[in-house]
Amino acid sequence: MNGRELVRSVKMVGSARGLRSVRSAWRGRRADAGALAPRGPERARVPGPVTGAEPLPGGGTVRFARAELQVCVMVGGAVFWGWDGAGPLPSYGLAPAAPEPDPRAGLEPDTDGGWRVVSERVTVAVSRHGAVEVRTPGGVVLRRELPPRWWEPVAGGAARWVQRSEVAADARFFGLGGRASGPRLRGGTYRLWNTDPGGGFGPGDDPLYVTMPVQLVVADAGTHLAFHDNSWDGRVTLAEGEEGAGSGHGRPGTAELRMEGGPLRCWVVTGTPARVLHGWTALTGAPAVPPSWALGPQHARWGFGSEREVRRIVAGYRERDLPLSAVHLDIDHFDAHRVFTVDRARFPDLPGLAAELRARGVRLVSIVDPAVKAERGDAVYESGARVGAAGAFVRDARGREVRGEVWPGECGYPDFTDPAVREWWGGLYEERLAQGFSGVWHDMNEPVSFAPFGDPTLPRSAVHRLEGRGGDHREAHNVYGLAMARAGYEGLARLRPDERPFLFSRSGWAGMQRYGGTWSGDVSTGWPGLRASLSLVLGLGLCGVPYSGPDVGGFDGSPSAELYLRWFQLGAYLPLFRTHAAIDAGRREPWEFGPEVLAHARAALVERERLRPYFVTLARLARLTGAPYARPVWWGAPEDRALRDCEDAFLLGDALLVAPVLERGADRRAVRLPAGRWYDTVTERAYGGRAQVLLDAPASRIPVLARAGAVIPVRDRDGRPELEVWAPAAGRTGGGLVVRDPGDGWEAVEVERYTSRWVDGEVRVERVTDGGTAEPEWPVRVRGAGA
């Protein structure tokens, strides 16, 4: 960090706090210097030649001169391999456990002295020097992992390693968690270390709050997902390939993963994008389903300041006939920023306010930070000190509590990798429920310790329980937010067993969807920030986190009326629809931007509410199948290379294509359509697919198209459910899936399937049942091409 950045960092947290931050960071560095020995001389190692193999269920162990490799194909087709005894467990990514080996797959000799495992969906070949190839049943190579290399300190300690991989020349990379420069990840290096960038960020900033060693690779030969299950700090360097002209050879795409320690193990799931995400969530856990109210519009601001201001905002929505589902309270409602407290002077009756708003259909959501004021008399700190023999807080290698500087001042950090600490922390949410809150959002949980230089996090030598295995922050850092989300989710489920918890978290890791979703964090106000918002949502969805969304309008700065409106229109079609802003960044209420913006924002809100039954369906299908709500336009046709390169439009489920406006002054925009027939949902004009079309995008709306034949659950003008059906193309059929809203509890749901077709000049819609077909129970409205 240079001097200018140092000054800016100190200014951000205030001069007194900045000096305390300097002291905290200096203590952390001193602790690391004393507890983490220098690596010193290292010894390089490669597997060497193969020496033998031992068959096991689903695969076996292949031994080399200086390493051994366990390979297994699981029931369902997922492939696992691990070097030097690394097995599927223990793992923070898997839930609840690893799948069973496929009993029909077994290890057998391959050509040139190698070995292979053949199964119904995939073949895994291991060369005599340790390369691992994942092939389709037809023998096409999807991914080739070259023999790895380790560097082991001569004096002992964690071995760092590198794994290089090759993919098809035409392949495109996606994933790696929340990346502002995506969703397609071009050549470059991406860090795997959850990080608070310390202010607004844009497409060029990396890393951010949620990083995952998860690569989704799309190529003509097929789609696959690779997950290197290792939570240590690392870097991924990607390079897209290049196809040879004429009879020339192509240059494969490459991915190089360098990790500072931890196990070298990998999972690969192959198939269509839908099958890959289904297999991925089978490994890492089904996404939590948000309560139906959390699928509506939500409003937040850092700096509401008082009950009076909250009431004013909610009244403003009601007076202007604007739908609103929730209001989020940031840290300014706490007493001196201390978690699980309330500033009674500004919020004298928070339960009363919550009950009043809930009667109007508006829920309250509370921020929750992990840092606890380290001070005698603080109820949370003192109760944490009584957890277990050593207390709930992270300690250093000498047994002293690790302290950091956060909003309350000097703070301790709960060790969420300890089951006893998670249980204690989850019980603290009883206070939030007693205050009337209906959900929580976790912030600052990378975790953050203000630092004018270096990483704003805990010392790497800080000691963690890691489920009883023991270890330090080098391994625990990236899963800290994930473990906190688990503590909060399980606590809310225990305390309020009749309602599904609503929780979303700024930081997390692979598998975080089990406990809720996430949001963009402090995305910069500006047109690049708007584009980054879409990238983050699409990329996270491809990593198995379907519920996310940006701070509409950007977190810092004041958006122009045009930028705010375009952001608002995009947000209306994303899973989490929330406005939010920093304390000094101006307001985000739609009426603050003039009557024209207000009118167009109202139209976006009304459309979001009209589509609420569709969002309920998408949320349930995400849990059942792993498919994200918002999907890249290539989702159903990954072989279409032009679609593969499209980053400024997306599918909402299977039925709708959304083309947001991401550039200043644009009133038209081009978009390439997938195959089929598509209707503009406003003009009902029809367009043919597999072509680029130019669509009108006036200030009043962004282009949204419906797939011909689609059956979509919506609300009519009176708020009652109905089926909106878009006429199939001549000679074609269509359909859709519908899940009715069972409420906010744990009720089982039924997926209803509908078909649409032309019969005697009319569009007929039928529900498919076990006994045949039946008439729909909901009213049907047919749209499209004058139908």
Side-chain angles (χ1 to χ4, degrees):
M1 176 174 286
N2 59 37
R4 184 175 59 184
E5 291 171 325
L6 174 62
V7 171
R8 184 179 61 186
S9 297
V10 172
K11 181 179 178 181
M12 180 186 69
V13 298
S15 58
R17 177 170 289 151
L19 293 175
R20 293 197 302 268
S21 300
V22 171
R23 290 197 298 268
S24 174
W26 178 79
R27 288 196 302 265
R29 289 195 171 190
R30 187 176 63 174
D32 284 348
L36 300 178
R39 295 193 66 88
E42 294 179 315
R43 181 184 299 109
R45 175 168 62 91
V46 295
V50 68
T51 61
E54 177 186 355
L56 295 170
T61 300
V62 182
R63 295 187 177 87
F64 299 85
R66 291 175 291 276
E68 68 176 32
L69 173 68
Q70 177 188 348
V71 182
C72 188
V73 177
M74 306 296 181
V75 173
V79 176
F80 171 82
W81 66 79
W83 286 93
D84 289 347
L89 299 175
S91 170
Y92 278 96
L94 303 188
E100 294 295 320
D102 185 348
R104 299 170 297 176
L107 189 67
E108 60 185 47
D110 200 3
T111 58
D112 198 26
W115 295 83
R116 67 179 182 180
V117 180
V118 180
S119 69
E120 181 181 2
R121 294 184 181 177
V122 69
T123 296
V124 185
V126 181
S127 79
R128 60 192 178 95
H129 290 292
V132 180
E133 288 185 353
V134 179
R135 305 170 180 166
T136 68
V140 178
V141 177
L142 296 176
R143 186 180 191 89
R144 185 170 191 261
E145 303 270 354
L146 302 176
R149 181 181 292 267
W150 297 265
W151 287 268
E152 300 165 334
V154 173
R160 58 189 180 93
W161 51 265
V162 61
Q163 175 70 74
R164 296 183 176 91
S165 310
E166 295 180 347
V167 297
D170 67 286
R172 296 290 182 263
F173 295 99
F174 301 86
L176 297 183
R179 304 288 169 170
S181 59
R184 173 184 163 194
L185 301 177
R186 289 166 171 79
T189 298
Y190 303 86
R191 191 178 178 194
L192 298 171
W193 188 254
N194 292 350
T195 303
D196 173 13
F201 67 86
D205 292 300
D206 187 273
L208 298 178
Y209 315 95
V210 181
T211 67
M212 298 184 195
V214 178
Q215 301 172 28
L216 187 84
V217 183
V218 182
D220 287 354
T223 301
H224 74 270
L225 180 148
F227 169 46
H228 288 86
D229 192 353
N230 183 320
S231 61
W232 284 59
D233 191 2
R235 283 174 168 79
V236 180
T237 301
L238 303 177
E240 293 181 348
E242 184 177 353
E243 294 183 286
S247 59
H249 292 290
R251 176 174 57 80
T254 60
E256 179 184 274
L257 174 60
R258 291 182 176 269
M259 301 298 290
E260 294 302 311
L264 202 176
R265 55 185 178 178
C266 183
W267 291 89
V268 172
V269 184
T270 67
T272 63
R275 175 169 284 184
V276 166
L277 265 293
H278 186 264
W280 173 236
T281 52
L283 278 177
T284 59
V289 178
S292 59
W293 59 263
L295 297 170
Q298 304 175 50
H299 188 90
R301 191 169 83 230
W302 178 14
F304 276 127
S306 67
E307 288 185 10
R308 179 179 179 181
E309 177 66 4
V310 172
R311 287 190 173 93
R312 188 188 74 82
I313 296 300
V314 174
Y317 273 86
R318 290 176 61 85
E319 291 165 2
R320 295 166 176 85
D321 196 26
L322 302 175
L324 181 65
S325 290
V327 170
H328 298 212
L329 299 189
D330 210 315
I331 55 174
D332 53 291
H333 88 279
F334 288 144
D335 180 8
H337 293 155
R338 291 178 297 128
V339 68
F340 299 117
T341 65
V342 176
D343 185 334
R344 300 294 179 185
R346 293 184 295 168
F347 291 86
D349 183 17
L350 195 50
L353 174 65
E356 173 189 326
L357 297 185
R358 187 161 183 162
R360 300 177 182 175
V362 179
R363 310 294 184 109
L364 276 185
V365 175
S366 171
I367 192 173
V368 172
D369 288 353
V372 176
K373 177 74 171 177
E375 180 179 79
R376 285 188 175 275
D378 184 278
V380 176
Y381 179 74
E382 292 197 346
S383 70
R386 296 190 293 269
V387 175
F393 301 103
V394 175
R395 294 179 177 271
D396 65 18
R398 297 173 62 183
R400 302 168 301 185
E401 280 187 14
V402 172
R403 301 286 175 82
E405 185 71 20
V406 201
W407 297 118
E410 189 175 54
C411 293
Y413 296 82
D415 182 5
F416 296 114
T417 70
D418 184 340
V421 174
R422 289 198 296 268
E423 184 174 4
W424 159 74
W425 185 264
L428 297 176
Y429 289 74
E430 184 174 14
E431 182 273 341
R432 295 287 88 183
L433 297 181
Q435 298 294 345
F437 289 107
S438 297
V440 297
W441 52 295
H442 288 172
D443 202 356
M444 308 291 287
N445 60 339
E446 287 71 35
V448 171
S449 175
F450 294 144
F453 55 86
D455 281 344
T457 186
L458 304 188
R460 296 188 174 221
S461 59
V463 176
H464 292 262
R465 286 281 295 169
L466 289 168
E467 316 308 316
R469 294 182 288 111
D472 59 38
H473 198 66
R474 292 175 296 177
E475 181 178 358
H477 174 83
N478 280 337
V479 298
Y480 189 88
L482 170 71
M484 181 187 178
R486 178 179 178 181
Y489 184 88
E490 292 178 347
L492 290 170
R494 287 195 308 270
L495 294 166
R496 194 171 53 188
D498 295 333
E499 293 187 34
R500 299 192 305 278
F502 175 56
L503 183 152
F504 61 103
S505 173
R506 190 171 80 172
S507 183
W509 202 63
M512 65 181 296
Q513 73 276 358
R514 301 190 293 263
Y515 314 116
T518 184
W519 89 104
S520 66
D522 301 344
V523 61
S524 288
T525 296
W527 293 94
L530 171 60
R531 184 175 290 271
S533 296
L534 178 57
S535 299
L536 285 160
V537 172
L538 293 178
L540 286 162
L542 295 175
C543 290
V545 185
Y547 184 80
S548 69
D551 286 345
V552 168
F555 181 73
D556 62 339
S558 299
S560 67
E562 180 190 7
L563 174 60
Y564 173 81
L565 178 60
R566 293 309 195 185
W567 216 317
F568 200 89
Q569 291 168 334
L570 168 62
Y573 292 95
L574 296 178
L576 171 60
F577 181 21
R578 183 182 87 142
T579 59
H580 186 45
I583 194 169
D584 57 350
R587 299 186 179 278
R588 292 291 188 270
E589 294 80 49
W591 55 88
E592 296 290 343
F593 294 86
E596 182 180 2
V597 169
L598 174 60
H600 300 331
R602 179 185 293 110
L605 286 168
V606 169
E607 180 64 7
R608 173 66 176 228
E609 287 299 280
R610 192 182 77 89
L611 291 173
R612 181 82 73 90
Y614 187 47
F615 276 94
V616 169
T617 294
L618 294 178
R620 292 292 181 170
L621 294 179
R623 180 167 181 82
L624 294 173
T625 70
Y629 312 19
R631 310 165 186 177
V633 291
W634 49 257
W635 177 262
E639 70 283 354
D640 188 329
R641 296 190 181 187
L643 291 180
R644 223 184 277 168
D645 294 339
C646 176
E647 300 178 278
D648 59 358
F650 64 97
L651 298 175
L652 183 60
D654 284 332
L656 298 178
L657 188 151
V658 183
V661 174
L662 305 177
E663 297 178 354
R664 179 189 292 111
D667 59 4
R668 304 188 81 189
R669 61 149 301 171
V671 62
R672 182 174 175 84
L673 301 179
R677 184 182 179 92
W678 295 85
Y679 296 101
D680 186 308
T681 56
V682 172
T683 67
E684 301 194 13
R685 177 181 174 181
Y687 296 90
R690 291 190 178 178
Q692 181 167 286
V693 298
L694 189 62
L695 303 172
D696 289 332
S700 59
R701 65 183 178 94
I702 57 175
V704 179
L705 296 97
R707 190 189 301 271
V711 178
I712 307 173
V714 298
R715 289 174 174 172
D716 66 14
R717 292 182 179 179
D718 296 322
R720 296 170 299 194
E722 70 175 4
L723 298 178
E724 180 174 88
V725 183
W726 290 88
R732 301 279 184 169
T733 61
L737 302 176
V738 175
V739 180
R740 304 190 189 203
D741 187 356
D744 293 337
W746 303 93
E747 299 86 355
V749 297
E750 178 184 1
V751 179
E752 302 175 7
R753 181 185 171 200
Y754 292 87
T755 62
S756 62
R757 58 194 176 99
W758 287 97
V759 178
D760 297 331
E762 294 183 342
V763 176
R764 177 174 296 178
V765 179
E766 297 173 317
R767 180 181 174 186
V768 179
T769 67
D770 292 338
T773 60
E775 292 294 319
E777 296 180 8
W778 287 357
V780 174
R781 184 164 63 102
V782 179
R783 299 183 65 189

